[in-house]
Amino acid sequence: MTIDWAHFTPWSALAGGILIGLAAGLFVLANGRIAGISGLLGSLLEPRASGRLYSLLFVFGLLLAPWLWQAIAALPTIEIQAGVPGLLLAGLLVGFGARLGSGCTSGHGVCGLSRLSPRSLVATLCFMASGFATVFVVRHLLGV
Amino acid sequence: MARLTALFAGLLFGFGLLLAGMANPAKVLAFLDLAGNWDPSLALVMGGGIGTALLPFALARRRTQALTGCPMQLPSKREPDPALVIGSLLFGIGWGIAGICPGPALVLLGSGNAAILPFFVAMLIGMGLYRGYASRRA
């Protein structure tokens, strides 16, 4: 392992993380909801889910964020490396997997770990492990 | 008021993802590439997020009602089960292929980046497939 110091951005990563934590804290204290994005999106697909309006508004805020950011400053670099077949397969796995596993990086990784939930710890260890393994296979075994 | 806080929380979350670098799939993949030129930044995103959210969640746990009067909807305590493990493993494989998870997918969509569309549509199909699977099991 070598550390890529040139691309290491500790301060913006930490500050961004704090904003994410503040947002999750605000949502739970003010709205009583977990800021798990896959769960919020999933509830929008459920006609009978409670609090759908708040899910919708939170999701709308996420969509609006880059738009508002652009009004003030240039967007940070965004580079999508996967091709269309990869993006399609990845999307299917992310959508199905997050719903089957009751959460994703935000719901388990940030909110669940902050709640000290054992289930979220198991989920986070699982998706981190398979994420690391997948990149290893794709980049270093298949050489894509 | 509850509508305003929900919208503001979403906005703040989106700004956090952008500032943190989570909305850049190449940076996420560089974090997941332990054997390559590893960029540890995203560990700090998680650390910062958890460190900040610990106190609000501890306060929320003692309440039955949120500050705006909404019911407190925290997940009930359950043991980890095979669905949790299998779902999370599948999710991680998808995350490792593209470097995109649901929050950043929405932020990328909002930025008007058309390249995210195949991922986004497939993610919604994946969620729909789960819905069909869950309703058949029920």
Side-chain angles (χ1 to χ4, degrees):
Chain A
M1 185 206 284
T2 49
I3 291 184
D4 185 357
W5 294 110
H7 291 98
F8 182 42
T9 49
W11 298 114
S12 57
L14 198 61
I18 290 172
L19 286 187
I20 291 168
L22 285 174
L26 172 68
F27 201 42
V28 75
L29 282 177
N31 294 83
R33 300 283 301 272
I34 298 283
I37 315 302
S38 58
L40 295 176
L41 276 175
S43 78
L44 293 180
L45 300 175
E46 280 315 317
R48 285 171 304 174
S50 63
R52 283 174 83 216
L53 175 65
Y54 304 124
S55 308
L56 190 68
L57 284 165
F58 189 99
V59 165
F60 188 62
L62 277 175
L63 289 168
L64 211 62
W67 190 78
L68 218 80
W69 180 297
Q70 263 171 323
I72 304 160
L75 276 182
T77 317
I78 290 170
E79 188 192 349
I80 298 177
Q81 294 170 324
V84 172
L87 288 170
L88 289 171
L89 178 63
L92 275 176
L93 287 167
V94 163
F96 186 84
R99 296 299 289 147
L100 180 64
S102 321
C104 56
T105 15
S106 51
H108 283 311
V110 177
C111 297
L113 292 186
S114 301
R115 293 195 306 118
L116 311 175
S117 152
R119 266 174 71 85
S120 290
L121 180 62
V122 170
T124 305
L125 291 174
C126 285
F127 66 66
M128 294 295 284
S130 66
F132 285 131
T134 302
V135 172
F136 183 76
V137 169
V138 170
R139 288 199 173 172
H140 302 284
L141 296 184
L142 301 175
V144 178
Chain B
M1 190 63 192
R3 294 175 191 186
L4 206 66
T5 54
L7 178 69
F8 186 72
L11 256 179
L12 201 61
F13 204 102
F15 286 144
L17 288 173
L18 279 165
L19 181 62
M22 282 292 295
N24 182 8
K27 193 166 178 74
V28 175
L29 290 179
F31 167 70
L32 291 175
D33 190 8
L34 278 178
N37 215 3
W38 189 49
D39 176 356
S41 307
L42 298 195
L44 290 168
V45 181
M46 227 176 182
I50 295 168
T52 309
L54 271 171
L55 180 67
F57 276 107
L59 294 172
R61 208 196 330 229
R62 294 186 203 145
R63 304 180 63 100
T64 53
Q65 233 185 14
L67 296 171
T68 58
C70 295
M72 191 57 80
Q73 292 176 289
L74 294 176
S76 47
K77 269 206 162 60
R78 277 192 293 156
E79 291 295 311
D81 51 36
L84 178 88
V85 171
I86 295 167
S88 300
L89 288 172
L90 292 177
F91 170 81
I93 295 173
W95 193 38
I97 292 174
I100 307 168
C101 51
L106 281 165
V107 171
L108 288 171
L109 190 71
S111 76
N113 193 327
I116 191 65
L117 278 174
F119 179 92
F120 195 80
V121 171
M123 180 176 80
L124 292 182
I125 292 172
M127 290 181 168
L129 285 175
Y130 169 75
R131 203 169 167 252
Y133 162 81
S135 65
R136 271 176 58 186
R137 281 190 66 197

